[in-house]
Amino acid sequence: MTDTLETFIRGLPKAELHLHIEGSLEPEQMFEFGKRNRVDMPFQSVEEVRAAYAFSNLQDFLDIYYQGAGVLQTEQDFNDMAMAYFRRLHADGGVHAELFFDPQTHTDRGLPFSIAVEGLLSGMKAAEAEMGITSGLIMCFLRHLDEEAALATLKAAEPWLDRVVGVGLDSSEVGHPPSKFQKVFRAAKERGLRLCAHAGEEGPPEYVWEALDLLKVDRIDHGNRALEDEALVKRLVASEMTLTVCPLSNLKLCVVDDLKDHPMKRMLDLGLKATCNADDPAYFGGYIGENFIQTARALDLSREELVTLARNSFTGSFLDEERVARRLAEIDAYVD
Ligand code: ADE
Ligand code: ZN
């Protein structure tokens, strides 16, 4: 059963819609970049880095995650990091990804805006040529900073906006509600960008309402705590709002105590349009395939439910209708 389940999942065509590319930086690569860029590392060994990855909440993780990103200095680093991620995605049956990146994490430590974005775009292009993986770039605003900084980031991104598919909102959730970012989300929408926001990971259902009503997002990232509010669930189901759910992240950041308690199955039973994603795989112990496999085992998900998750990943993506239809046909062919 387990082997066939794994084989079935890895062969199932899927898209990843919630992946912070900086969160795919494995400790080995962190040391490699640290060395070649002569950046002092707060850790002596890969083992020491991994040992530090024991988190009790989101902030615990973010403190280490922003530190880790400090080794990224050149376009080549961003390109290499993206390629390493795409190779893992390919091995897991991933055919499309919409990557989050945090420009402010890099510009605030003195890197020109172009370094991250150009490096990532070149990796994305190479992944399509080498592996046939399509991808889009989503620029996230750090919500622990103010809206002026987010507006300045959108302005700095102007020359690249034709190559960015959307904007997102991430970092420390509690105390930084979506309402703080209405102007910048409106400005992004006016520029033709798609919108998503982390909401309901640690923050209350009100933050999910705000993301919907004030930011007018196309997707909710996480959304776990929406389940506490019946009217909100109804709204999300009726509007077919995609939730980019991240089971292993939820486990590592103590959003759930046990994968057996994860709400993924409940979400599907309620008719919510959930997808399964890795969030920050280098930190949370697994890429998209592992997220599917461990969640399927813990919750005894059926093949139909796994196929629903894969279908949702395409219908919830920012791909055009024709490409979505093509990917759905690939799923149908696989299942047949
Ligand atoms: N940045 C990277 N991963 C994140 C997460 N899970 N929540 C908020 N911000 C993040
Ligand atoms: Zn995230």
Side-chain angles (χ1 to χ4, degrees), residues 104-323:
Q104 289 157 293
T105 296
H106 313 301
T107 52
D108 286 1
R109 59 191 172 84
L111 286 195
F113 192 93
S114 62
I115 297 274
V117 72
E118 290 288 356
L120 293 173
L121 288 168
S122 74
M124 291 160 68
K125 200 169 157 192
E128 182 157 13
E130 229 177 77
M131 293 169 264
I133 294 178
T134 53
S135 57
L137 200 51
I138 300 175
M139 189 175 86
C140 287
F141 304 118
L142 296 180
R143 70 202 302 158
H144 67 272
L145 302 177
D146 61 25
E147 192 179 39
E148 286 310 309
L151 284 161
T153 301
L154 184 61
K155 195 162 174 13
E158 280 298 348
W160 292 275
L161 287 187
D162 57 335
R163 280 156 290 167
V164 169
V165 69
V167 299
L169 186 64
D170 66 0
S171 192
S172 323
E173 187 181 6
V174 175
H176 303 287
S179 53
K180 211 176 127 178
F181 295 93
Q182 292 176 69
K183 270 191 277 182
V184 73
F185 269 65
R186 201 177 320 124
K189 197 179 174 76
E190 281 166 11
R191 284 163 178 73
L193 297 168
R194 307 300 296 270
L195 311 177
C196 38
H198 283 54
E201 179 183 18
E202 286 188 345
E206 288 71 32
Y207 286 19
V208 180
W209 283 111
E210 284 190 10
L212 297 174
D213 291 335
L214 304 181
L215 302 188
K216 308 205 180 303
V217 294
D218 299 298
R219 281 203 304 246
I220 294 285
D221 298 312
H222 295 293
N224 300 47
R225 290 196 59 193
L227 294 184
E228 296 168 23
D229 182 333
E230 219 174 294
L232 179 55
V233 170
K234 250 190 195 160
R235 162 83 179 270
L236 293 167
V237 172
S239 58
E240 297 180 30
M241 178 60 57
T242 302
L243 305 181
T244 64
V245 182
C246 307
L248 289 178
S249 162
N250 293 157
L251 183 65
K252 285 293 185 322
L253 299 186
C254 306
V255 170
V256 295
D257 294 331
D258 193 307
L259 264 195
K260 287 195 177 346
D261 302 325
H262 194 276
M264 185 68 100
K265 185 165 169 57
R266 210 150 26 104
M267 288 171 163
L268 292 174
D269 288 346
L270 286 163
L272 286 162
K273 192 168 157 186
T275 60
C276 184
N277 309 272
D279 206 2
D280 301 282
Y283 292 84
F284 301 149
Y287 286 74
I288 190 169
E290 203 55 36
N291 273 271
F292 265 82
I293 291 162
Q294 292 198 31
T295 309
R297 286 206 184 115
L299 303 177
D300 200 19
L301 297 182
S302 66
R303 288 198 177 199
E304 287 71 25
E305 286 167 323
L306 296 170
V307 170
T308 297
L309 289 172
R311 292 182 69 88
N312 290 348
S313 74
F314 294 114
T315 57
S317 75
F318 295 148
L319 285 168
D320 62 42
E321 269 179 40
E322 194 190 314
R323 279 173 187 247

